[in-house]
């Protein structure tokens, strides 16, 4: 078993542990009414998108998401939450350094023994979800689980769905598809982007991701008998039928959206195996992007 397989299989217990710790971490997480920005790079940026949409949708306050390198310094926020598995990503550390003494910051990380400890005002350590693999799985979903639980949006049913995602076979023939499109709505748009990234990183697959309602505005033109369109969350009315009419394959999201992402993680590993690739050694990637001064 690869590192990434072992880590993605451990997610139900990681989520349960993080949800159980949400209350203890509440003092350093966004309070109701605060104006908040959530930042990250790569996978963490897509989790930031999901977390921001969840918080604002829950009526907790205006919440934006940015790639750390694109943070708008002219805007005022009460708190900036940074997601960084390694605690060493250059863009995140640079941003935390610039915000020091100006804006309260909280970093969610797997390793506090890194520069993030001295740069963030507050730190939440999810070391039980740290990973050996380059390709992120359990840290990202565990960090999002903590933030969902902080908002009162996590239940044990989410953990049960994750187990179902791990135990249920993938749809027959899906691995052979030539192209994969992932769709989301609201907070699951970030998950759709992350699903596409997992397939690209682990399996070098041709993938795209869109807000579901945007799929009709051009992207559906690529749908054929060799493509799959995977909906994460509830689909807009009529979209499944339109995709099927093209001859393309439609995958309905039947589980909690975070558990659907686990199914995609499994698909990425399966496609990698079918193509003779090692998902623990993704091409051109390292565990953390650290730029030279």
């Amino acid at each position: 078993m690869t590192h990434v397989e072992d880590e993605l299989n451990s997610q139900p217990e990681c989520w349960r542990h993080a949800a159980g710790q949400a209350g203890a971490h509440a003092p350093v997480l966004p309070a109701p009414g605060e104006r908040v920005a959530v930042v990250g790079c790569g996978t963490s940026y897509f989790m930031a998108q999901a977390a921001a949409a969840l918080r604002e949708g829950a009526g907790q306050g205006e919440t934006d998401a940015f790639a750390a390198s694109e943070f708008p310094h002219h805007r005022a926020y009460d708190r900036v939450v940074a997601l960084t598995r390694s605690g060493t990503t250059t863009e995140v550390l640079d941003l935390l350094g610039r915000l020091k003494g100006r804006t309260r910051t909280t970093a969610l990380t797997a390793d506090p023994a890194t520069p993030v400890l001295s740069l963030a005002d507050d730190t939440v350590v999810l070391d039980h979800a740290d990973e050996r693999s380059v390709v992120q799985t359990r840290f990202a979903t565990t960090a999002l689980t903590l933030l969902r639980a902080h908002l009162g949006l996590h239940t044990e049913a989410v953990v049960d769905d994750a187990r179902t995602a791990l135990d249920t076979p993938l749809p027959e023939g899906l691995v052979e598809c030539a192209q994969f499109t992932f769709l989301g709505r609201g907070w699951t748009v970030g998950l759709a982007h992350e699903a596409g990234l997992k397939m690209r990183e682990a399996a070098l697959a041709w993938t795209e991701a869109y807000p579901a309602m945007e799929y009709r505005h051009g992207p559906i033109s690529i749908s054929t008998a060799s493509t799959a369109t995977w909906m994460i969350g509830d689909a807009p009315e009529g979209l499944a039928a339109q995709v099927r009419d093209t001859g393309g394959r439609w995958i309905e999201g039947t589980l909690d959206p975070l558990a659907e992402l686990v199914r995609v993680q499994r698909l990425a590993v399966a496609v990698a195996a079918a193509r003779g690739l090692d998902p623990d050694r993704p091409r051109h990637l390292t565990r953390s992007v650290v730029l030279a001064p």
Side-chain angles (χ1 to χ4, degrees):
M1 183 176 291
T2 62
H3 295 318
V4 69
E5 286 178 283
D6 180 61
E7 289 157 2
L8 74 84
N9 285 329
S10 70
Q11 287 174 106
E13 291 309 313
C14 287
W15 297 1
R16 172 178 282 119
H17 182 81
Q21 294 296 309
H25 294 304
V28 301
L29 295 176
E34 285 186 332
R35 189 166 190 254
V36 173
V38 192
V39 301
C41 298
T43 287
S44 292
Y45 171 43
F46 297 139
M47 294 298 102
Q49 290 179 327
L54 277 171
R55 182 175 186 269
E56 191 158 312
Q60 293 285 297
E62 185 176 339
T63 315
D64 297 320
F66 302 103
S69 59
E70 299 299 318
F71 184 82
H73 287 275
H74 62 280
R75 294 191 186 179
Y77 291 97
D78 299 308
R79 184 180 296 272
V80 172
V81 177
L83 308 181
T84 170
R85 175 180 65 172
S86 68
T88 60
T89 303
T90 296
E91 298 100 303
V92 174
L93 297 181
D94 285 349
L95 175 58
L96 291 174
R98 289 188 65 179
L99 294 175
K100 192 78 170 177
R102 293 173 39 210
T103 304
R104 194 78 187 175
T105 58
T106 297
L108 274 63
T109 186
D111 185 0
T114 59
V116 74
L117 184 64
S118 61
L119 290 173
D121 296 308
D122 302 299
T123 308
V124 175
V125 180
L126 301 173
D127 51 358
H128 69 284
D130 201 359
E131 297 162 325
R132 295 180 64 184
S133 60
V134 172
V135 175
Q136 276 200 61
T137 55
R138 71 184 183 191
F139 175 78
T141 60
T142 299
L144 185 55
T145 295
L146 175 71
L147 295 173
R148 285 181 85 184
H150 176 63
L151 295 170
L153 300 176
H154 174 84
T155 68
E156 189 62 23
V158 178
V159 177
D160 292 339
D161 274 4
R163 292 199 178 95
T164 299
L166 291 169
D167 295 339
T168 304
L170 293 169
E172 187 175 350
L174 189 59
V175 168
E176 285 76 36
C177 287
Q179 189 275 346
F180 304 86
T181 297
F182 300 96
L183 306 178
R185 301 184 81 180
W187 74 280
T188 72
V189 173
L191 299 188
H193 284 297
E194 170 58 10
L197 181 62
K198 284 287 91 64
M199 296 291 293
R200 291 190 291 275
E201 288 177 329
L204 304 183
W206 171 21
T207 67
E208 298 178 354
Y210 302 96
M213 292 295 287
E214 285 295 303
Y215 191 55
R216 297 179 177 96
H217 295 271
I220 196 172
S221 62
I222 66 169
S223 184
T224 70
S226 64
T227 68
T229 303
W230 191 319
M231 183 70 213
I232 300 180
D234 296 329
E237 184 176 354
L239 184 56
Q242 284 182 274
V243 171
R244 294 188 181 108
D245 286 346
T246 69
R249 186 162 188 171
W250 174 264
I251 307 299
E252 192 75 39
T254 59
L255 303 172
D256 179 87
L258 202 55
E260 283 294 321
L261 181 58
V262 174
R263 293 181 71 204
V264 178
Q265 292 170 349
R266 290 182 57 217
L267 175 63
V269 171
V271 172
R275 297 181 179 184
L277 302 172
D278 182 354
D280 281 343
R281 293 176 174 81
R283 190 171 66 180
H284 309 317
L285 298 179
T286 57
R287 190 172 182 273
S288 173
V289 176
V290 179
L291 305 177

